[in-house]
Amino acid sequence: MRSIKVLIVFNEPVLSLDHPDAESEHQILETVRVVRDNLKEGGCRVDVHGISRDMANLAAQLRRSRPDVVFNLFEGFADQGGTEATVAGLLEWFRVPFTGCPQHTLSLARNKPLTSYLLSGAGLPNPEFFVVEDASVPAENSLGWPVIVKPAQQDGSVGIDQGSVVTDQMQLNERVEYLFDHYGPPVMVQEFIPGREFNVALIEAGKLHALPISEILFTETDPGYWPIITYDAKWKPGSREFEATPPAYRANISQRLADRLSRLSKKAFRVLGCQDYARIDFRVRASGHPYILEVNPNPDFSPQAGLAGGLATIGLTHQQFTLDLVHNALARAQRATPTTPVSAGAPG
């Protein structure tokens, strides 16, 4: 039987090394190496293609290598995040089976306000918010204080630091202006939810599984320090904020709360049209009321990430799950065109 030919695609770093957001681009390189090794050890033939600014190169690579499946690790360029969905759309256009979420899901999740509207419409709890489209118009806060101010179309905690949580109108205006200057419009102003923070990773393995829940522990006791996941906390090991936000896997919570978070996560996964895997982030008040902070349809796939940590609980290794994703992508393509053999290449 012919071995499966897999093309791994990922985003080549585009920011200069002295750029404040440069760290967020480089972790993917190690993940690519791990995925490549997993697939080769599983008997696949593997090519790797780093995507640069010229998308024509990706089209040419698809025509040249004609893969059976694309393993999609592309996260979007750091200074042009919408390209994350563009690559998935290109693969759909070329009818190349690929792993991970489809184009429409990646587009929706990138738009934080739209995601919040969809979750609310589906009856899922998430913080109240409003959107600032024009920096010249003062942001009138009716949510109460504090609020957290975010770029509305970034991910990976880009644009989030200790100055993101504001407690008065002057701070709010200054933060909105800062984000407009650095990331452009729109800006999302969201109710700040005090409480514990949890991550729920979900995978499709025969059925949709919610893996054991992890918690972000906020260990800093300085009263002027906000318990949030900042850019530094996510991307800069050794920084004060990184060291103050260790993950606890598994979370020490009641079975009742774990079941509730799992149910909400599965519904959010389906509402946004996720497939293969995703992560849902929560805040839970001391009263026990949960709020969905974010749906991440393209979470960290490295073996050190929370997603990988929960695989063993359902009897999967990271390598086996990597291979399963390839087979899932082939099976989806066969269901979509049952009378047409799955062709791995883009049209010539």
Side-chain angles (χ1 to χ4, degrees):
M1 182 177 178
R2 184 177 68 90
S3 61
I4 299 171
K5 187 172 185 180
V6 182
L7 175 66
I8 302 171
V9 300
F10 67 99
N11 44 291
E12 292 280 7
V14 297
L15 300 179
S16 62
L17 291 177
D18 60 351
H19 191 281
D21 298 334
E23 293 87 354
S24 63
E25 290 191 300
H26 288 269
Q27 188 181 53
I28 191 62
L29 301 177
E30 176 60 19
T31 303
V32 169
R33 185 192 66 77
V34 171
V35 169
R36 181 198 62 202
D37 292 348
N38 283 347
L39 293 172
K40 284 185 174 181
E41 291 170 11
C44 296
R45 295 173 293 152
V46 183
D47 289 328
V48 176
H49 179 73
I51 299 175
S52 60
R53 300 286 191 188
D54 187 357
M55 288 294 178
N57 291 336
L58 173 59
Q61 178 66 35
L62 292 170
R63 293 188 178 100
R64 184 165 53 249
S65 62
R66 302 189 68 80
D68 296 307
V69 174
V70 167
F71 203 102
N72 186 17
L73 292 174
F74 186 76
E75 298 176 336
F77 298 127
D79 59 352
Q80 199 176 3
T83 51
E84 179 182 35
T86 301
V87 166
L90 184 66
L91 296 173
E92 290 171 2
W93 189 358
F94 283 170
R95 299 184 181 180
V96 182
F98 64 94
T99 63
C101 287
Q103 183 270 339
H104 69 270
T105 300
L106 296 172
S107 293
L108 287 173
R110 171 72 62 169
N111 188 321
K112 289 178 169 46
L114 182 55
T115 296
S116 292
Y117 285 129
L118 288 170
L119 294 175
S120 295
L124 292 166
N126 59 109
E128 296 292 327
F129 72 97
F130 64 91
V131 177
V132 183
E133 301 277 2
D134 185 347
S136 67
V137 179
E140 297 184 7
N141 176 30
S142 61
L143 304 177
W145 307 102
V147 292
I148 183 166
V149 191
K150 308 174 178 180
Q153 297 185 356
Q154 295 286 340
D155 63 3
S157 291
V158 170
I160 306 294
D161 58 36
Q162 283 293 307
S164 297
V165 182
V166 301
T167 58
D168 60 42
Q169 190 65 46
M170 181 177 293
Q171 290 180 353
L172 174 58
N173 293 341
E174 290 174 351
R175 190 65 187 183
V176 168
E177 183 178 356
Y178 169 83
L179 292 180
F180 267 79
D181 288 345
H182 286 77
Y183 302 102
V187 167
M188 184 178 191
V189 181
Q190 192 177 55
E191 174 188 11
F192 179 76
I193 305 297
R196 299 169 70 182
E197 186 156 331
F198 299 100
N199 305 139
V200 184
L202 301 109
I203 68 167
E204 290 184 309
K207 63 177 184 178
L208 183 59
H209 295 267
L211 301 180
I213 296 164
S214 60
E215 180 176 8
I216 302 298
L217 301 178
F218 297 109
T219 61
E220 178 62 63
T221 59
D222 184 339
Y225 186 91
W226 293 103
I228 59 175
I229 301 298
T230 65
Y231 181 89
D232 285 4
K234 186 178 287 286
W235 300 109
K236 293 189 176 181
S239 68
R240 176 189 182 188
E241 293 171 49
F242 186 94
E243 299 303 322
T245 53
Y249 188 86
R250 306 177 178 190
N252 182 18
I253 56 175
S254 68
Q255 189 60 50
R256 180 180 179 183
L257 178 57
D259 290 344
R260 187 177 186 188
L261 296 181
S262 295
R263 286 195 302 271
L264 293 172
S265 296
K266 290 178 180 179
K267 187 172 182 179
F269 187 99
R270 296 305 188 200
V271 165
L272 263 71
C274 299
Q275 67 186 21
D276 282 344
Y277 59 96
R279 192 191 73 235
I280 317 297
D281 300 336
F282 288 87
R283 273 291 175 103
V284 178
R285 291 187 186 272
S287 64
H289 188 76
Y291 297 81
I292 297 175
L293 296 183
E294 184 173 1
V295 177
N296 188 336
N298 193 9
D300 185 359
F301 195 75
S302 72
Q304 292 76 39
L307 173 71
L311 294 174
T313 64
I314 60 169
L316 281 175
T317 63
H318 189 267
Q319 180 186 23
Q320 185 58 55
F321 184 56
T322 302
L323 293 167
D324 286 350
L325 291 177
V326 168
H327 291 289
N328 287 351
L330 283 173
R332 279 195 297 271
Q334 290 167 345
R335 289 194 298 270
T337 55
T339 61
T340 304
V342 175
S343 175

